Amino acid sequence: MCGIVGAIANRDVVPVLIEGLKRLEYRGYDSAGIAIVGRNAANDGDVRRVRRTGRVAEMESAAASEAFSADLGIGHTRWATHGGVTEHNAHPHISHGVALVHNGIIENHEQQRERLRALGYTFESQTDTEVIAHLIHHYLTQGDDLLRALQRVVKELEGAYALAVVSRKEPDRMVCARMGCPLLIGLGEDENFIASDVSAIIQATRRVIFLEEGDTAEVMRTGVRVFDATDTEVQRDVHVSDVSLASLELGPYRHFMQKEIHEQPRAIADTIEAIIDHGSFTPELFGMDADGILRDIEGLQILACGTSYYAGLTARYWFEAVTGLPCNVEIASEYRYRKVVANPRQLIVTISQSGETLDTMEALKYAKSLGHDKTLSICNVPESAIPRASRLVFYTRAGAEIGVASTKAFTTQLVALFALTVTVAKVQGKLSAEQEAELLDALRHLPGSVQHALNLEPQIAVWSDRFAPKQHALFLGRGIHYPIALEGALKLKEISYIHAEAYPAGELKHGPLALVDADMPVVVIAPNDALLEKVKSNIQEVRARGGEMYVFADADSHFTESEGVHVIRTPRHVGLLSPIVHAIPVQLLAYHAALARGTDVDKPRNLAKSVTVE
């Protein structure tokens, strides 16, 4: 959940570290720091460090005031897990000239702490990370070099980690390790880099090596060596990143979330491009083995977290209605810890924007241990861990998503799940050519419908001014739009800090109606589908209790405004794809409510973009 950047070069790397940490701010953090060592550092041969709670800019000012300059360094943005948000707990951590940054959680840190105290080490922080720095120093005192010390230490750690380490005694290299948390190496000309995310080093290089589970590596100015979990030197593929600097810049928008909401027509068009170009839903969209696998499955088991989980809930309605096969959807952190009745004829579908979500990755591993060998990943980041662990992959083409609250990743996940549904129905003989053509045509028109929904932003902004003073809100939906109500409530609480809950509209009279009064705004997703009249009845239940309604209705749903009932009309009903269109207004409502309340839209408190800890 934190960010790592490291650099070794024949130039001052401090600007590279600072810029890299700024590009990692979107991941969520509460403190930042850098450590430098090298031939050009002041007090040559020693490790210098600066850390600050708060934003990277505060740490940058401190580094500038202390004239930081060096050709080797590491940096970190921390999201607190062990120990509070204090400078002592901020990274990098140092032990006798060894400086280290760490993402993840070390589960056996207490046992290691007691062992190190017995060896005479003292601790200045409450973190699990400090034990790693001391352990590395301990092995250095026994004659190991920095790489060998790291390789010995990681075999004693339990948990998840991405590590970058430097030492004053070895100013010509960095070492690093990966287990359960993303880490990559960037390749330059007579300079090389380490990062947890390619965005941190894209200004310096596009050539990257993605480390695999259990890998360690040494990174020098002129070369890189990678070792697998057995400490055997291996060759890892070099990839050229297609992340653009433009995608990491705000442009004319006030926040990345606003930018990414407005990028959804393009993101959806890019994601469906291969389908449209081919003129059909073909199994090869999901991998070379997809035809045989999808033809043989008896249903889906979807595993995901947060917004991705709500995408899965939406897909359940699609999949069961179109294919006639069962679809189960489960929160990954729950699935991985319960006794599961496995059916290896199910397709395990994992959904993750980053491809590194720890709970989802561990749920996938658990499913495979139960005999599930039919696995599919839906992901936005090529070469990330979850796709590499899956037999089939569908990459959404949303582009870099910087805002913590997911927007375009969500709608492109829905597109991917819709494509999966139609493809399974087709290969299993449950879809006629005419039906496929109709669904393909609906998909072709989807970006335009989403753009029409975006055009409602001025009206939604007016609503948000009424929401800003509120402390609570209810979201209602029925059928396939209930997950969109869930997503709307999540978005509102994530970035505006207004407490919001979502319910199937039919559940109102079974309890939630007790909460309704004039101070509890109720948002209703009311498309022109088979359940519209039921939703209208639920609206009357709310109005009878003095509740104020905010209704997102289709243009052809014949809703009229009245006292206490406010209506915004989205585009004409688009059938099965309606949830994707209705996701847009609830995103805009959350964004503008947060704007009116003055919260930090792109970096909501206590949250991180890529959740790589449990």
Side-chain angles (χ1 to χ4, degrees):
M1 297 175 72
C2 319
I4 287 175
V5 62
I8 184 168
N10 291 315
R11 58 174 170 138
D12 182 15
V13 300
V14 171
V16 177
L17 301 177
I18 297 292
E19 178 65 20
L21 293 181
K22 288 180 176 179
R23 294 190 183 278
L24 292 172
E25 286 186 298
Y26 76 93
R27 294 170 69 94
Y29 71 106
D30 43 52
S31 60
I34 61 173
I36 57 172
V37 60
R39 297 168 298 180
N40 297 329
N43 303 317
D44 189 40
D46 202 358
V47 175
R48 300 181 67 200
R49 171 179 63 181
V50 60
R51 303 177 291 179
R52 290 292 186 273
T53 58
R55 295 303 181 204
V56 171
E58 298 170 35
M59 186 271 295
E60 179 184 18
S61 296
S65 67
E66 297 181 31
F68 264 45
S69 174
D71 52 18
L72 169 63
I74 52 177
H76 191 264
T77 52
R78 175 181 187 249
W79 189 86
T81 54
H82 294 74
V85 181
T86 67
E87 192 169 307
H88 282 301
N89 288 332
H91 298 219
H93 289 283
I94 293 178
S95 177
H96 307 280
V98 174
L100 173 145
V101 294
H102 164 223
N103 289 352
I105 290 178
I106 304 305
E107 295 174 356
N108 63 334
H109 70 99
E110 290 289 357
Q111 299 94 308
Q112 296 290 357
R113 188 181 296 264
E114 292 306 310
R115 170 192 172 192
L116 288 161
R117 281 182 175 142
L119 291 170
Y121 288 91
T122 59
F123 290 81
E124 68 168 27
S125 78
Q126 302 165 300
T127 69
D128 54 340
T129 301
E130 194 176 358
V131 301
I132 310 173
H134 290 323
L135 282 170
I136 291 173
H137 176 260
H138 169 64
Y139 285 120
L140 290 177
T141 63
Q142 295 188 356
D144 288 335
D145 65 9
L146 189 61
L147 175 64
R148 182 57 189 151
L150 176 65
Q151 289 173 334
R152 291 181 67 179
V153 166
V154 296
K155 290 177 174 57
E156 299 177 4
L157 301 179
E158 298 173 7
Y161 52 80
L163 300 168
V165 192
V166 295
S167 169
R168 68 185 177 197
K169 291 186 176 180
E170 300 185 38
D172 292 315
R173 65 173 172 170
M174 301 179 286
V175 297
C176 58
R178 182 229 162 131
M179 177 64 74
C181 294
L183 198 65
L184 58 88
I185 297 171
L187 305 177
E189 296 295 329
D190 293 324
E191 58 184 25
N192 290 302
F193 311 89
I194 295 171
S196 51
D197 188 315
V198 70
S199 63
I201 56 171
I202 198 67
Q203 75 275 18
T205 183
R206 292 185 176 276
R207 299 175 63 239
V208 297
I209 296 171
F210 296 99
L211 295 183
E212 298 187 7
E213 292 287 86
D215 279 358
T216 55
E218 66 171 359
V219 181
M220 299 161 287
R221 290 172 184 83
T222 56
V224 169
R225 292 200 300 160
V226 180
F227 303 83
D228 65 15
T230 67
D231 301 334
T232 302
E233 187 168 356
V234 292
Q235 297 296 318
R236 300 293 185 216
D237 293 338
V238 177
H239 302 267
V240 178
S241 173
D242 61 359
V243 173
S244 71
L245 283 173
S247 70
L248 306 176
E249 304 293 342
L250 266 176
Y253 298 97
R254 296 182 63 177
H255 299 91
F256 279 106
M257 183 178 180
Q258 184 188 32
K259 176 177 184 270
E260 288 152 12
I261 289 172
H262 281 270
E263 287 175 339
Q264 287 176 108
R266 178 74 266 162
I268 290 170
D270 288 344
T271 300
I272 66 175
E273 181 179 26
I275 303 171
I276 302 302
D277 288 349
H278 194 273
S280 67
F281 294 87
T282 173
E284 286 71 27
L285 292 165
F286 303 91
M288 296 306 296
D289 299 331
D291 188 283
I293 292 174
L294 299 183
R295 198 178 297 277
D296 190 49
I297 63 171
E298 294 180 349
L300 299 188
Q301 172 66 68
I302 298 176
L303 305 172
C305 303
T307 287
S308 297
Y309 170 67
Y310 296 151
L313 289 179
T314 307
R316 178 170 61 189
Y317 290 90
W318 283 333
F319 192 80
E320 295 193 346
V322 175
T323 70
L325 298 174
C327 176
N328 299 320
V329 188
E330 192 155 353
I331 295 171
S333 59
E334 291 294 314
Y335 177 90
R336 62 180 287 204
Y337 286 120
R338 73 176 182 87
K339 293 185 182 300
V340 175
V341 178
N343 176 5
R345 296 286 298 277
Q346 286 180 321
L347 177 67
I348 298 293
V349 179
T350 49
I351 313 171
S352 168
Q353 188 281 140
S354 68
E356 304 285 354
T357 308
L358 182 64
D359 282 321
T360 307
M361 183 70 208
E362 292 302 317
L364 173 59
K365 290 179 182 177
Y366 178 47
K368 291 167 75 172
S369 76
L370 297 174
H372 286 285
D373 64 347
K374 298 176 175 63
T375 57
L376 165 67
S377 165
I378 294 174
C379 181
N380 192 43
V381 181
E383 299 302 325
S384 49
I386 295 174
R388 291 203 306 268
S390 305
R391 288 183 66 183
L392 305 179
V393 179
F394 187 102
Y395 285 116
T396 57
R397 298 176 63 188
E401 189 177 68
I402 305 301
V404 166
S406 181
T407 52
K408 61 179 180 175
F410 175 64
T411 50
T412 53
Q413 286 169 355
L414 289 174
V415 167
L417 289 161
F418 180 79
L420 175 64
T421 294
V422 180
T423 303
V424 171
K426 178 181 177 180
V427 300
Q428 295 204 2
K430 299 175 181 179
L431 191 74
S432 69
E434 292 77 14
Q435 289 172 318
E436 181 186 10
E438 290 175 4
L439 294 175
L440 184 66
D441 191 57
L443 199 61
R444 184 180 290 110
H445 288 93
L446 180 61
S449 297
V450 168
Q451 184 59 57
H452 285 306
L454 287 168
N455 295 340
L456 301 171
E457 186 168 14
Q459 299 175 57
I460 295 170
V462 172
W463 276 12
S464 67
D465 289 335
R466 300 171 186 161
F467 269 74
K470 305 298 184 181
Q471 299 303 313
H472 308 278
L474 282 178
F475 283 69
L476 303 178
R478 294 198 77 138
I480 199 168
H481 294 87
Y482 167 52
I484 304 306
L486 287 165
E487 174 64 6
L490 176 62
K491 284 291 161 285
L492 190 67
K493 56 191 164 192
E494 274 183 314
I495 62 169
S496 75
Y497 314 145
I498 296 171
H499 171 245
E501 298 296 337
Y503 289 91
E507 277 293 289
L508 263 181
K509 53 187 170 291
H510 297 290
L513 198 57
L515 297 172
V516 172
D517 59 21
D519 292 323
M520 173 78 80
V522 180
V523 179
V524 185
I525 315 298
N528 188 21
D529 60 12
L531 295 174
L532 177 62
E533 294 305 316
K534 301 291 185 183
V535 173
K536 287 182 177 180
S537 297
N538 300 136
I539 289 173
Q540 293 306 313
E541 292 171 351
V542 173
R543 282 302 300 135
R545 275 76 179 177
E548 191 157 9
M549 311 295 301
Y550 295 85
V551 182
F552 290 114
D554 291 338
D556 49 359
S557 59
H558 307 295
F559 258 105
T560 57
E561 288 205 5
S562 60
E563 184 180 356
V565 180
H566 313 285
V567 179
I568 289 179
R569 300 187 186 283
T570 59
R572 187 172 298 276
H573 188 57
V574 295
L576 284 175
L577 294 170
S578 177
I580 300 175
V581 176
H582 277 273
I584 308 305
V586 297
Q587 293 171 355
L588 288 168
L589 179 62
Y591 171 73
H592 283 282
L595 206 62
R597 288 169 69 92
T599 61
D600 193 342
V601 173
D602 286 334
K603 307 179 191 71
R605 66 191 183 201
N606 305 330
L607 299 180
K609 183 65 178 173
S610 181
V611 185
T612 56
V613 297
E614 187 172 357

